[in-house]
């Protein structure tokens, strides 16, 4: 595998900190969420960074390469356009699923893929499709998870290794996600680092989080904890990463604090300097002892002429069906309130469901910032939205979700205040180009909803 070009130490570019990012000392590169930019209208800040020679890498979040459906050609084309517009050396995405086709549901979040032979076969085919469509190399990120799939056949290390062997894809290793999965799923991050092909490493993510009630939440809104820097040091002992990037998505600190975090990361990642010693002598480097929850490896099916393992005689389409049914059952439980599938930790699924609903409320408030004001403030907005979200899964993205939420309120003659209801009606009509449903239509929809 061809070695990666040196990237250095960078930060995730976000509009809220664009000015601060431009002033950060010694910044080598930035990463931008691909779906948040338009190739023909790049933000002036990104253009100035490029003119200075700062590399920009697009990081996708919506492909869902781990899902049962083949990648959407339009989404692949859009990701490729952003890579070309930014002059990027590569693009990155996630090993995750984000939606299901039957029923049509959107998670609005990255959800873990089953570590089974079926899911690996589906993922590998999807990755090859993406590689063929993209104009630059692709790297995939390991994700953080709150829940584990029952009946997994491969460890994380085995899954990632075989993915690389079968597709040649590069890896984006997020050490904060390794720590998250250590806390939430009892997985050994050092076993992952020891078993994956680090020659395939594209670059590394570092981020902060917080622990609540024995669950680690990968928030990207807290400072990077020492335990995550320890994991970065352990990775650095094994390989010299081409790039390391700090992710921060919310609760942005002062510019000086961002600079200090980058300096701390640089001290650990700099191959010329000494690697950071573990902060926990007597334990596995980097934190508390972990249980080895890895399943015994499943027998490996010999690869066919094209290098792809065949799941069974039924063929890859049956694998897609099985993966799709399993993912739909989980996602429906998370966003639609259906029963939790057999074998899952029900408490963890409930925690994940609440987290998805809260994130959905947060993002809708960002894409439609007028709604909290119309509804009387943040608290009334969240109460109304979470009530709506309990029975109304997202099916077509956050902007559509905001419109559906507003229509949901209007159907119920809400808000109760007539002036607020008129404002919401005007807001909804301006965006959909239609009149709100007439009273007879609202009654009919309400009756249909009750009957369902």
């Amino acid at each position: 595998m061809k070695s990666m070009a040196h990237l250095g130490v960078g930060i995730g570019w976000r509009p809220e900190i664009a000015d601060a990012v431009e002033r950060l000392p010694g910044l080598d590169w930035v990463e931008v969420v691909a779906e948040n930019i338009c190739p023909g209208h790049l933000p002036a800040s990104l253009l100035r960074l490029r003119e200075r020679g700062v590399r920009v890498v697009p990081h996708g979040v919506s492909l869902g390469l781990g899902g049962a459906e083949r990648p959407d050609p339009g989404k692949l084309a859009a990701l490729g356009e952003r890579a070309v517009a930014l002059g990027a050396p590569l693009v990155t995405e996630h090993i995750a699923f984000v939606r299901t086709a039957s029923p049509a549901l959107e998670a609005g979040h990255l959800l873990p893929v089953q570590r089974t032979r079926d899911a690996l076969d589906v993922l590998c085919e999807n990755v090859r499709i993406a590689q063929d469509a993209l104009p630059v190399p692709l790297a995939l990120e390991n994700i953080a998870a709150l829940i584990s799939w029952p009946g997994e056949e491969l460890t994380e290390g085995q899954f990632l290794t075989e993915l690389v062997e079968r597709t040649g894809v590069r890896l984006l290793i997020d050490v904060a996600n390794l720590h998250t999965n250590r806390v939430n799923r009892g997985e050994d991050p050092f076993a992952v680092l020891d078993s994956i092909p680090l020659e395939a490493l594209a670059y590394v993510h570092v981020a902060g989080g917080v622990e609540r009630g024995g669950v680690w939440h990968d928030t990207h809104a807290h400072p990077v904890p020492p335990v995550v820097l320890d994991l970065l040091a352990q990775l650095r002992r094994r390989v010299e990463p081409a790039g390391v990037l700090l992710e921060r998505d919310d609760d942005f600190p002062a510019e000086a604090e961002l600079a200090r975090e980058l300096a701390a990361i640089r001290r650990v990642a700099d191959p010329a300097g000494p690697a950071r010693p573990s902060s926990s002598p007597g334990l596995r480097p980097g934190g508390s002892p972990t249980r080895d929850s890895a399943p015994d490896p499943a027998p490996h099916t010999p690869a066919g002429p094209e290098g792809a393992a065949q799941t069974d005689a039924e063929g890859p389409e049956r694998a897609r069906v099985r993966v799709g049914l399993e993912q739909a059952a989980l996602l429906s439980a998370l966003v639609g309130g259906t029963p939790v599938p057999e074998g899952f930790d029900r408490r963890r699924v409930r925690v994940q469901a609440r987290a998805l609903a809260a994130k959905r409320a947060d993002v809708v408030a960002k894409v439609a910032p007028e709604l909290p004001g119309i509804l009387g403030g943040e608290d009334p907005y969240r109460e109304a939205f979470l009530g709506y979200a309990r029975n109304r899964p997202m099916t077509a993205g956050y902007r559509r979700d905001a419109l559906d939420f507003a229509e949901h309120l209007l159907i119920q003659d809400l808000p109760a205040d007539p002036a607020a209801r008129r404002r919401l009606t005007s807001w909804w009509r301006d965006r959909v180009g239609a009149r709100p449903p007439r009273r007879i239509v609202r009654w009919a929809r309400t009756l249909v909803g009750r009957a369902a």
Side-chain angles (χ1 to χ4, degrees), residues 142-310:
N142 61 305
I143 72 162
L146 280 171
I147 53 180
S148 298
W149 283 87
E152 294 197 319
E153 300 165 345
L154 301 164
T155 66
E156 178 82 338
Q158 291 165 344
F159 195 86
L160 295 178
T161 298
E162 192 163 332
L163 172 65
V164 171
E165 290 174 348
R166 291 170 57 174
T167 66
V169 75
R170 292 186 179 276
L171 297 176
L172 192 180
I173 294 299
D174 189 317
V175 291
N177 291 349
L178 292 179
H179 173 64
T180 301
N181 294 341
R182 165 167 50 191
V183 176
N184 294 349
R185 305 204 287 185
E187 296 176 354
D188 186 344
F190 308 101
V192 177
L193 293 178
D194 286 339
S195 60
I196 60 176
L198 290 174
E199 67 275 9
L201 182 65
Y203 58 87
V204 180
H205 272 175
V206 179
V210 64
E211 186 171 352
R212 300 191 191 98
V215 174
W216 187 269
H217 296 270
D218 180 46
T219 64
H220 293 192
H222 293 79
V224 177
V227 68
V228 171
L229 288 179
D230 283 341
L231 282 175
L232 175 61
Q234 290 299 321
L235 183 148
R236 207 310 241 130
R237 287 190 175 110
R238 291 161 171 81
V239 69
E240 181 181 324
V244 181
L245 184 120
L246 169 65
E247 287 189 296
R248 187 78 181 229
D249 294 332
D250 209 347
D251 280 349
F252 298 102
E255 185 176 329
E257 185 176 337
L258 284 177
R260 283 194 294 271
E261 284 214 288
L262 278 177
I265 290 169
R266 191 181 297 276
R267 284 193 295 272
V268 178
D270 183 3
R276 177 188 172 95
S278 167
S279 61
S280 307
L283 302 175
R284 292 224 46 183
S288 303
T290 58
R291 61 182 176 86
D292 184 2
S293 60
D296 292 332
H300 177 63
T301 306
E306 299 300 322
Q310 193 76 352

Side-chain angles (χ1 to χ4, degrees), residues 78-94:
L79 184 56
E81 288 170 0
R82 283 149 178 78
V84 171
L86 295 168
L90 78 163
V91 296
T92 57
E93 249 286 354
H94 299 83

